[in-house]
Amino acid sequence: MSIDIEQFHAVFFDESQEHLDDMEQLLMELDVEDPDLEQLNSIFRAAHSIKGGSGIFGFDALTGLTHVMENLLDKARKQTISLSVPTVDLFLETVDLLKTILDAYKTESDLPTSEIESGVAALEKALAEADGQAAPSEGVAQDEAQTESASADDDIDGFGFFDDEPEAATEAQPAPTEAASKNDDIDGFGFFDDEPAPPATAEEKAGYGFFKPLEAVNEDAKAAQEDAAKAAEKAKAKAAKTKKPAAKQAEASSIRVDTLKIDAMVNLVGELVITQSMLSMIGDEVSGAVGQKLQTAIVELQRNTREIQESAMSMRMLPVNMTFNRFPRVVRDLSSKLGKQVDLIIEGGNTEIDKSMIEKLVDPLTHLVRNSIDHGVEKPDVRKASGKLEKGTVILRAAQRGSSIVISIIDDGAGLSRERILAKATENGLPVSPDMPDSEVWLLIFQPGFSTAAEVTDVSGRGVGMDVVRRNIEAIGGRIEIESTKGYGSAFHIHLPLTLAIVDGICAAVGNQTFVIPLVNIIESLQPLPEQLKLIGNENLLWIREQYWPLIAIHEMMHVDDAIDNPTEGIVVLLESSKRRFAIQVDALLGQQQVVIKSLEQHYRKVPGISGATIMGDGRVAMILDADAIADLCRPVYEEEKAS
């Protein structure tokens, strides 16, 4: 019987990626001054697993590189070499290279041969240097390893019971006190010394205090207690740092399922929701005892459908930590490169988000974090001169607010410069005004080719990126806000829907059509008074909250007949997008509803101002409005606001 081994490739790629992510995270947490043996063992095991799997599948480039890396890790975990920052950097660079090789095998593209050769050469050079320094310190390292665990030392034979030299045997025995165990000159515990030391001498501790004055014995006992207390605290700290086996064991109870299968199930659940809505409408038309029974059954069906929907959606949800965990490395490398001291704080990493958005968030977040370090956080001497701590702080935070997720990138750096941004915007020919509110000024940095950097570096300064950041965020139904105070720092807030498959919205009637307005974009709704409306040129404006809002008539934009033309007779909904605030005019609000999004572009074509469609309970199709696309139809009203 022949086995098609390629069917296991996907599992190997997924597991190897997890191993590499774990290795990177553990290396970032490693304390080079006092490395945790369990962390080193975990890193070694991950490398060993990748080597074993790659060997089975014939991925020779992975096998060769991990083999050399494994040898160096083995020396580190056995404490025959001392770790240093350059060594950890080398391990991190090797992890990056392993990711590149893994991706090459996964996509069946060309291997980076020259990079692999350089990586192997760097590891072999480190191994040669390690072998050179291991010889004089090997005995010391073995002694330290024995105190941790005798089974971990490969050089112990017979556990010291059959050593040829009695001295070695006595050294291997446990010492009654720490003070005595530190003395290399103790032979036979002092009972058979040819010339017993004077009992009052503090430097020589022969006899374990039998011939010492009582005061000296008490001092030794007190010192031993203090050392024991410190050792206990240190062991407790190490134990707290390495409580990860339980999490790994929990992961073992899960199974791997193709995302296409989950998407198919979510789609079927969406159809079930639509069917349930149809039955609810039919039930309203049935009266009498039968109608009452039908309503009871429909309510039960509605409850079960909601639970099935939530269960199906939860399968798509993953903790945002899957994205956040890569940023400690980004911050470490970039701050070191720029000569800055930056502390990254991650908050709300357990907040869950739709899997389809996890990978799409990586590029925007990476660019914003890099910008915070490059443009935001100042160098240590500048921060010290301005009365700040030399080490800057970048906070990466995720939190759920209602039906949306808010991801924030906050720094305590120099903040955005309003003057420089306005000057650059004027230079680029953008329509600006000195009276623009800060919130509108900050959004100018998202214009293509916009940069206020004093110099161009390989990190930033070319004006490429922030416009792409906004475009990528809008592509997954999100929007971005900026807060900044000069001299105190900046905050970028990304608002995202919980999922791309289902949206909470308000159904609005426009003529004989129904439109769904995403709840995440709605500020409030009202029926305007005549004095709140103003016409300037061809632009309709609404005066509310001490400012003018562009007013868009949905029936005109969507060419709907039989709609209410006068805004005072209909309803105005205030919306907020990533670009600006504006108002839309509809006939009436029909109520809040959770709807399943269907791609209009896939089944029909792209319609301006529409992000998708859904099927209502009566079987009719309702369009879902795209707030960001509608915002493009609005023009700034700074001149009108100033004139008022």
Side-chain angles (χ1 to χ4, degrees):
M1 181 181 68
S2 61
I3 299 176
D4 182 13
I5 201 167
E6 291 188 3
Q7 64 181 308
F8 303 108
H9 281 184
V11 176
F12 167 74
F13 291 139
D14 289 343
E15 290 184 349
S16 296
Q17 186 64 51
E18 290 177 6
H19 285 316
L20 290 172
D21 291 340
D22 290 342
M23 288 170 68
E24 184 176 70
Q25 186 173 354
L26 289 168
L27 285 167
M28 290 291 299
E29 296 172 357
L30 202 60
D31 183 1
V32 293
E33 300 295 334
D34 184 22
D36 188 281
L37 288 180
E38 181 55 37
Q39 285 182 315
L40 286 171
N41 283 327
S42 297
I43 297 168
F44 176 84
R45 286 192 295 268
H48 187 74
S49 298
I50 294 172
K51 187 185 83 169
S54 60
I56 293 173
F57 294 113
F59 298 148
D60 297 335
L62 275 176
T63 307
L65 186 60
T66 48
H67 176 70
V68 186
M69 182 186 190
E70 189 183 50
N71 290 340
L72 190 58
L73 283 168
D74 192 40
K75 291 183 179 294
R77 74 187 183 116
K78 290 180 178 177
Q79 296 184 324
T80 56
I81 63 169
S82 57
L83 280 176
S84 63
V85 173
T87 307
V88 175
D89 289 342
L90 178 59
F91 284 141
L92 287 169
E93 290 169 5
T94 306
V95 169
D96 290 341
L97 182 54
L98 287 171
K99 288 181 179 179
T100 303
I101 299 171
L102 186 69
D103 187 62
Y105 279 120
K106 187 176 181 179
T107 58
E108 298 183 354
S109 55
D110 294 336
L111 292 170
T113 308
S114 59
E115 294 179 29
I116 296 171
E117 292 174 353
S118 300
V120 171
L123 288 170
E124 288 179 342
K125 181 182 178 183
L127 268 172
E129 293 174 353
D131 290 335
Q133 74 170 12
S137 59
E138 189 171 359
V140 177
Q142 288 178 8
D143 288 341
E144 293 175 355
Q146 285 177 3
T147 62
E148 293 281 346
S149 171
S151 62
D153 194 342
D154 295 341
D155 297 323
I156 295 177
D157 294 320
F159 299 94
F161 294 126
F162 305 105
D163 288 340
D164 295 329
E165 298 178 9
E167 292 80 8
T170 53
E171 286 177 8
Q173 296 179 18
T177 66
E178 185 174 353
S181 66
K182 291 180 180 177
N183 189 358
D184 296 335
D185 298 328
I186 296 175
D187 293 318
F189 299 97
F191 293 116
F192 306 105
D193 287 343
D194 295 333
E195 297 179 8
T201 306
E203 290 80 1
E204 298 177 10
K205 308 206 187 283
Y208 289 87
F210 292 116
F211 305 106
K212 288 185 179 181
L214 185 59
E215 295 83 358
V217 175
N218 289 337
E219 285 296 324
D220 282 349
K222 184 178 179 182
Q225 288 177 351
E226 291 176 354
D227 288 343
K230 289 179 182 178
E233 285 294 324
K234 194 172 181 181
K236 187 177 179 182
K238 278 190 177 183
K241 245 179 7 175
T242 56
K243 284 185 178 178
K244 294 190 178 178
K248 287 289 181 186
Q249 192 170 1
E251 286 181 10
S253 63
S254 63
I255 60 172
R256 297 181 186 275
V257 180
D258 194 318
T259 53
L260 292 177
K261 293 181 180 179
I262 295 178
D263 291 341
M265 186 178 69
V266 169
N267 187 56
L268 289 173
V269 171
E271 298 294 339
L272 182 62
V273 171
I274 294 169
T275 305
Q276 175 262 316
S277 298
M278 291 180 179
L279 288 174
S280 297
M281 295 188 69
I282 294 172
D284 293 338
E285 299 175 1
V286 181
S287 59
V290 175
Q292 190 173 4
K293 290 181 180 179
L294 181 59
Q295 284 294 340
T296 303
I298 288 174
V299 169
E300 185 69 15
L301 175 63
Q302 186 176 7
R303 183 179 65 82
N304 292 336
T305 303
R306 169 69 69 166
E307 290 179 358
I308 293 173
Q309 185 185 52
E310 291 176 354
S311 177
M313 293 307 304
S314 68
M315 296 180 189
R316 292 172 56 106
M317 308 299 280
L318 293 173
V320 76
N321 252 343
M322 295 190 67
T323 298
F324 283 4
N325 283 345
R326 67 186 67 198
F327 287 104
R329 174 74 186 283
V330 173
V331 172
R332 177 184 184 274
D333 292 348
L334 188 57
S335 58
S336 176
K337 181 176 184 179
L338 297 174
K340 298 181 179 181
Q341 299 177 18
V342 183
D343 187 19
L344 176 67
I345 299 174
I346 293 178
E347 300 176 356
N350 292 328
T351 305
E352 292 188 332
I353 192 169
D354 195 313
K355 183 184 186 301
S356 61
M357 288 190 277
I358 289 286
E359 288 302 320
K360 295 177 182 177
L361 271 176
V362 173
D363 287 343
L365 288 180
T366 300
H367 195 92
L368 291 173
V369 169
R370 287 167 66 90
N371 266 13
S372 292
I373 299 172
D374 188 24
H375 298 307
V377 178
E378 312 94 328
K379 291 194 174 182
D381 55 341
V382 177
R383 292 179 63 85
K384 188 175 182 180
S386 59
K388 297 182 179 180
L389 295 175
E390 292 186 4
K391 178 180 281 190
T393 302
V394 174
I395 301 174
L396 196 54
R397 177 186 298 155
Q400 182 175 344
R401 295 182 186 172
S403 61
S404 63
I405 297 291
V406 180
I407 297 178
S408 303
I409 301 93
I410 307 167
D411 67 71
D412 63 347
L416 297 176
S417 172
R418 176 186 173 94
E419 295 75 17
R420 290 176 63 187
I421 292 174
L422 287 174
K424 187 66 177 180
T426 304
E427 181 184 328
N428 289 359
L430 297 174
V432 295
S433 166
D435 298 325
M436 287 173 63
D438 285 346
S439 58
E440 298 286 350
V441 174
W442 306 148
L443 293 179
L444 290 171
I445 67 174
F446 292 112
Q447 294 295 324
F450 196 96
S451 175
T452 58
E455 59 180 345
V456 175
T457 67
D458 59 348
V459 177
S460 59
R462 293 180 174 84
V464 179
M466 293 303 286
D467 59 321
V468 178
V469 166
R470 183 170 71 175
R471 192 159 59 244
N472 288 348
I473 291 172
E474 290 174 358
I476 53 178
R479 59 187 175 86
I480 186 167
E481 294 177 348
I482 303 176
E483 296 177 358
S484 183
T485 304
K486 191 172 182 179
Y488 292 93
S490 304
F492 292 79
H493 305 291
I494 301 172
H495 297 257
L496 297 167
L498 276 175
T499 175
L500 296 180
I502 294 176
V503 63
D504 283 312
I506 297 291
C507 295
V510 180
N512 60 355
Q513 299 290 326
T514 301
F515 293 89
V516 178
I517 310 169
L519 203 60
V520 69
N521 297 114
I522 296 176
I523 300 174
E524 66 174 294
S525 60
L526 68 148
Q527 189 167 26
L529 300 173
E531 57 267 25
Q532 291 180 298
L533 300 172
K534 187 174 182 180
L535 180 65
I536 298 180
N538 294 324
E539 297 290 331
N540 289 312
L541 302 176
L542 174 71
W543 175 258
I544 189 171
R545 294 191 174 191
E546 303 301 320
Q547 67 177 11
Y548 280 104
W549 298 56
L551 180 60
I552 302 293
I554 296 298
H555 69 279
E556 293 179 0
M557 185 180 75
M558 296 297 172
H559 306 288
V560 178
D561 298 327
D562 302 326
I564 296 175
D565 190 57
N566 188 349
T568 59
E569 297 176 4
I571 297 293
V572 168
V573 183
L574 305 183
L575 301 183
E576 183 176 40
S577 73
S578 61
K579 299 173 182 177
R580 60 177 57 89
R581 293 182 170 188
F582 60 96
I584 61 171
Q585 175 192 336
V586 298
D587 293 358
L589 299 180
L590 305 178
Q592 182 176 339
Q593 188 172 342
Q594 193 175 60
V595 297
V596 181
I597 302 174
K598 302 289 184 181
S599 173
L600 192 63
E601 189 173 359
Q602 181 180 350
H603 297 94
Y604 176 52
R605 63 178 175 82
K606 179 67 177 176
V607 178
I610 299 296
S611 62
T614 188
I615 302 175
M616 305 300 291
D618 57 2
R620 299 172 64 191
V621 175
M623 301 297 174
I624 302 172
L625 297 178
D626 186 344
D628 288 299
I630 298 174
D632 290 333
L633 303 175
C634 309
R635 67 182 183 87
V637 290
Y638 310 125
E639 289 78 9
E640 290 85 352
E641 185 177 348
K642 182 179 178 181
S644 66

